[in-house]
Amino acid sequence: MWKMCSVQDLQAAAASRVPKPFFEYVTSGSWTQSTMRANSDELSKILFRQRVLRDISKRRVRSKMLGEEWTMPVALAPCGFGGMQWANGEILAAKAAEKFGVPFTLSTMSINSIEQVAEATTKPFWFQMYVLKDRDFQRNLLSRAKAAGCSALVLTVDLQVKGQRHADIKNGLSAPPKPTLQSAIDILSKPSWCLRMLTAKSWTFGNVVGHAKHVGDLSSLDSWTNEQFDPSLSWKDVEFIRNEWGGKFIIKGIMEPEDAKEAAAMGVDALVVSNHGGRQLDGTEASVCALPDVIAAVDGKCEVWLDGGIRSGQDVLRARALGASAAMMGRPWLYGLGAGGEDGVSKCLEVVEKELDLTMALCGLTDIDDVSSAILKKGSFPLPSSA
């Protein structure tokens, strides 16, 4: 792990250790993948201003999210199939996040269940949920998250219908893998992964199997999942879930100022500017390009975070400079997980924090709370439409 200097290094290591269907689940986007690429490309166009001859000997990147102080303004975003990157993947990622001091968000479509993660950790984690047609299962999920002590609920609202990801279709993605010749070849080509998976507490979606009606095996899970995303989702459903939850509430998947105003008026604690990592609507703009208008629209009524294309501590600093309170990152921690389990996730967080700290220093600042667009080169970053 000590030779891993960047998220890209972790990605390369994960590629050599994780079976192709599960690795490509992480790396791919929907349709042409143009939005997925734009998320990173547009961030990289934002240029810093190098400042010199300032006292930068004492620095601080600790920051608050939802009123609580964390090691840096970064949360691990909810991601499915973590337990297929490394055995007990979500458990290991949650433990790494807890030790490092950043929030971990468990996905509804995780391999490890809410209860398994809660049993392995000592501090509250966040839980992510979709609005599903099976409202009894949804209420049960909320109850389970409360019982596990989850301190915030992240509601993903940009998956009313599922975007088409060509790689997943071609690879026949499923958990556990379907017994085909190609899946056998892919899996047996990674013998260490196979041996680790013998220790896995779960091989399928732990929050669903055994909890949703009539879902007891892989075939019933497939049909249930395909039918559950609710295209009739409305703001009334969101308000109902917020009231049912009663705790810290985050909406993820906002890209337009009109939707941001609706969310802020509802009294959410934070909203996440996100296009689902380019995995839903291909051909929409990069998340960072949508960020300024969303921040302007909410007018300080709630925190605004950026998700999509975050691959480094420099990207986190760019998000802060544009006015985001924090950043969420998904693919980076999955690459770390695939590269080395818990140690890999820890290395990912260490790399991002170091990049954030050093870049801030080279911009002449010593405190993350002092970061603003003044550290960015004029003309290189997006502005609100009204500017």
Side-chain angles (χ1 to χ4, degrees):
M1 284 293 114
W2 67 270
K3 290 185 178 180
M4 302 291 174
C5 300
S6 67
V7 168
Q8 289 72 27
D9 287 345
L10 293 168
Q11 180 178 353
S16 69
R17 296 169 189 176
V18 179
K20 180 172 175 278
F22 301 121
F23 180 73
E24 290 192 350
Y25 168 79
V26 179
T27 59
S28 63
S30 61
W31 286 295
T32 67
Q33 305 184 114
S34 63
T35 295
M36 181 188 73
R37 292 190 296 271
N39 279 341
S40 296
D41 292 345
E42 293 300 323
L43 274 164
S44 67
K45 291 177 184 178
I46 299 172
L47 304 179
F48 296 108
R49 296 176 63 222
Q50 177 178 299
R51 301 301 304 275
V52 298
L53 300 178
R54 295 187 170 201
D55 184 357
I56 52 173
S57 55
K58 295 179 181 179
R59 302 186 298 275
R60 174 182 174 275
V61 296
R62 295 187 67 83
S63 186
K64 287 186 176 181
M65 287 179 275
L66 303 181
E68 185 175 351
E69 189 171 79
W70 304 90
T71 299
M72 60 179 172
V74 172
L76 300 194
C79 298
F81 282 92
M84 287 296 161
Q85 306 301 314
W86 195 280
N88 303 313
E90 290 92 359
I91 290 173
L92 299 180
K95 290 172 70 173
E98 179 180 304
K99 291 174 184 175
F100 195 83
V102 296
F104 171 77
T105 316
L106 183 69
S107 168
T108 292
M109 304 310 290
S110 60
I111 302 301
N112 292 124
S113 68
I114 300 170
E115 293 78 11
Q116 288 171 340
V117 174
E119 184 180 3
T121 53
T122 60
K123 295 180 181 178
F125 54 94
W126 298 350
F127 183 66
Q128 175 272 338
M129 193 174 75
Y130 302 103
V131 177
L132 303 170
K133 290 181 181 178
D134 187 341
R135 296 298 202 257
D136 289 339
F137 172 70
Q138 183 174 281
R139 280 190 286 270
N140 180 250
L141 265 183
L142 285 173
S143 296
R144 291 167 60 199
K146 289 179 182 178
C150 293
S151 56
L153 182 71
V154 179
L155 185 69
T156 298
V157 295
D158 58 358
L159 214 151
Q160 290 175 258
V161 292
K162 189 177 178 182
Q164 182 166 307
R165 303 156 198 168
H166 298 333
D168 292 349
I169 295 171
K170 292 175 181 178
N171 289 325
L173 182 74
S174 68
K178 293 177 181 176
T180 66
L181 176 60
Q182 187 57 54
S183 68
I185 293 171
D186 290 334
I187 288 169
L188 292 174
S189 69
K190 303 292 188 287
S192 296
W193 181 91
C194 295
L195 288 173
R196 286 193 297 271
M197 289 304 293
L198 294 176
T199 68
K201 295 178 182 292
S202 179
W203 272 67
T204 189
F205 299 114
N207 290 322
V208 178
V209 174
H211 297 280
K213 293 176 183 176
H214 313 303
V215 180
D217 55 29
L218 178 60
S219 59
S220 57
L221 174 65
D222 273 352
S223 59
W224 182 88
T225 302
N226 291 333
E227 295 169 356
Q228 277 306 304
F229 296 116
D230 191 350
S232 70
L233 170 64
S234 71
W235 286 105
K236 288 183 179 179
D237 297 306
V238 174
E239 188 169 16
F240 174 80
I241 292 169
R242 178 185 178 277
N243 292 335
E244 279 281 301
W245 173 249
K248 297 292 186 182
F249 188 66
I250 304 155
I251 291 182
K252 180 175 179 285
I254 299 295
M255 287 288 288
E256 296 295 333
E258 298 92 334
D259 294 330
K261 288 178 181 178
E262 291 264 17
M266 191 174 291
V268 301
D269 296 286
L271 59 82
V272 186
V273 178
S274 173
N275 53 36
H276 216 92
R279 296 167 63 79
Q280 281 296 97
L281 176 60
D282 192 35
T284 191
E285 67 181 337
S287 296
V288 70
C289 294
L291 180 65
D293 279 342
V294 170
I295 291 175
V298 303
D299 194 27
K301 293 182 178 69
C302 66
E303 295 181 24
V304 178
W305 306 340
L306 179 67
D307 170 77
I310 303 294
R311 298 292 181 272
S312 67
Q314 291 199 321
D315 290 336
V316 175
L317 191 64
R318 289 177 171 116
R320 283 288 298 224
L322 290 175
S325 302
M328 295 191 97
M329 61 180 191
R331 288 183 175 97
W333 76 259
L334 286 175
Y335 293 144
L337 184 64
E342 183 179 344
D343 289 343
V345 178
S346 296
K347 173 56 72 173
C348 171
L349 292 169
E350 290 166 10
V351 163
V352 169
E353 184 194 27
K354 184 176 182 179
E355 291 168 339
L356 173 61
D357 173 62
L358 292 179
T359 305
M360 183 180 72
L362 292 169
C363 290
L365 295 181
T366 59
D367 193 313
I368 193 73
D369 289 337
D370 294 332
V371 170
S372 71
S373 60
I375 70 168
L376 304 178
K377 202 75 174 175
K378 288 183 179 179
S380 74
F381 58 91
L383 294 168
S385 300
S386 57

